[in-house]
Amino acid sequence: MNDKEKARWQSDLTLIADAAREAGAVAFGFFNQSPEVWWKNEDRSPVSAADFAANKTLETILRKARPDYGWLSEETDDDADRLSRETLFIIDPIDGTRAFLGGQKVWCVSVAVVHRGRPVAGVLYAPALEELYEAVEGGVALKNGVPFTVSAAGPEEMSRLAIGEDLLKTFPPAFRDRVTREKYIPSLAYRIAMVADGRLEGTFVKGNSHDWDLAAADLILVCAGGGLVDIEGEPIVYNRTEVTHKVLCAAPTPRISEFLAAFAGRRDS
């Protein structure tokens, strides 16, 4: 990455952090106010007036500032034009909508700039928790302006994992015995941020997550010393025709191979 690109992505980070704060303030205005709710994905997923309002705020700010960038958001109809753009915004105006509607504080605004398939600037803003995570390619991960890194715990120590009980039961006993399960975390992006800031040693992500759930958190984790990979150990490529993903693993870089080996050794594999 040359100095010109570095300055460009840093400028983009400033832009998306400001936009995420504004969108977060808009969404927070609906929090615990019983906003109108609709259902999508064959009535499996809720979307609220807060999601749409936050999305509109982000779209207004970001598309005006970077009209040449593509756009992919959970709450905007997909436009194949994004596939022709080297650089685009990938957005989830509220990651953790069910938590938001239930009055839980673990939800966030997720905004990433993706260039040639990989995130180069990313922000997660959790207004109810007063937390702002941010990262830029080649930089350090920051939480409310303070650098942080992944957990330094090794394989011989207990691992705090966000993993379903049914899935964990299938792992080899020697691995299970060194795992403490974290209670369910309703925002996937925030769960990955918890791996990034060392509150978790790892998480497995079920199949069918989307680009907008992952892109910002992915970069934050990488800049904190971790990685988000598929079960072959490969990083995610974003802005493809298909924006859903198979099973993924998020962990500190030194632990990824250990967790993937445990996944491969499940009884049902």
Side-chain angles (χ1 to χ4, degrees):
M1 181 171 56
N2 58 41
D3 289 345
K4 185 176 180 180
E5 279 192 328
K6 186 175 181 180
R8 177 184 174 186
W9 306 141
Q10 187 63 53
S11 174
D12 281 355
L13 179 63
T14 300
L15 170 67
I16 65 175
D18 289 344
R21 287 190 190 95
E22 289 201 38
V26 168
F28 195 69
F30 290 85
F31 190 49
N32 287 326
Q33 300 299 316
S34 301
E36 189 171 0
V37 176
W38 299 267
W39 291 85
K40 59 184 182 178
N41 299 331
E42 299 177 348
D43 292 336
R44 293 193 302 269
S45 305
V47 59
S48 74
D51 294 82
F52 289 133
N55 191 67
K56 183 177 180 181
T57 299
L58 291 166
E59 195 162 7
T60 299
I61 295 170
L62 298 177
R63 287 191 138 171
K64 181 179 180 181
R66 303 287 190 271
D68 55 327
Y69 282 18
W71 181 266
L72 175 63
S73 169
E74 180 174 14
E75 309 308 347
T76 305
D77 289 340
D78 195 8
D79 184 349
D81 172 72
R82 66 179 171 80
L83 297 171
S84 67
R85 307 294 180 112
E86 274 199 332
T87 310
L88 79 160
F89 296 110
I90 297 186
I91 306 292
D92 193 342
I94 299 180
D95 188 80
T97 298
R98 287 181 185 272
F100 177 92
L101 295 173
Q104 297 174 262
K105 293 183 177 182
V106 183
W107 55 272
C108 58
V109 180
S110 176
V111 186
V113 176
V114 168
H115 179 68
R116 297 178 180 172
R118 288 294 299 165
V120 291
V123 169
L124 298 176
Y125 179 48
L129 297 171
E130 299 183 345
E131 294 176 354
L132 178 75
Y133 291 84
E134 53 189 322
V136 66
E137 185 184 27
V140 299
L142 301 173
K143 180 179 180 180
N144 292 345
V146 179
F148 63 86
T149 61
V150 294
S151 167
E156 70 285 352
E157 301 176 60
M158 292 296 292
S159 295
R160 299 158 296 178
L161 296 187
I163 184 172
E165 186 172 8
D166 290 346
L167 178 58
L168 181 60
K169 286 178 179 177
T170 68
F171 279 66
F175 181 83
R176 288 202 312 271
D177 291 345
R178 291 182 287 105
V179 168
T180 300
R181 280 188 64 244
E182 179 70 20
K183 65 182 181 180
Y184 176 69
I185 301 154
S187 162
L188 174 52
Y190 192 83
R191 192 199 321 167
I192 296 169
M194 290 176 67
V195 179
D197 70 14
R199 283 179 285 171
L200 297 173
E201 273 72 55
T203 186
F204 287 90
V205 180
K206 292 180 180 179
N208 206 39
S209 60
H210 295 78
D211 278 11
W212 49 76
D213 302 313
L214 305 168
D218 185 343
L219 180 64
I220 290 164
L221 177 57
V222 167
C223 289
L228 177 66
V229 299
D230 63 23
I231 58 173
E232 305 300 327
E234 295 298 320
I236 297 171
V237 177
Y238 295 93
N239 193 33
R240 297 187 295 188
T241 303
E242 179 55 64
V243 298
T244 58
H245 301 274
K246 296 181 180 180
V247 175
L248 305 170
C249 175
T253 299
R255 305 290 301 274
I256 290 174
S257 59
E258 170 200 347
F259 293 153
L260 292 180
F263 184 86
R266 290 172 302 139
R267 287 196 309 268
D268 63 345
S269 63

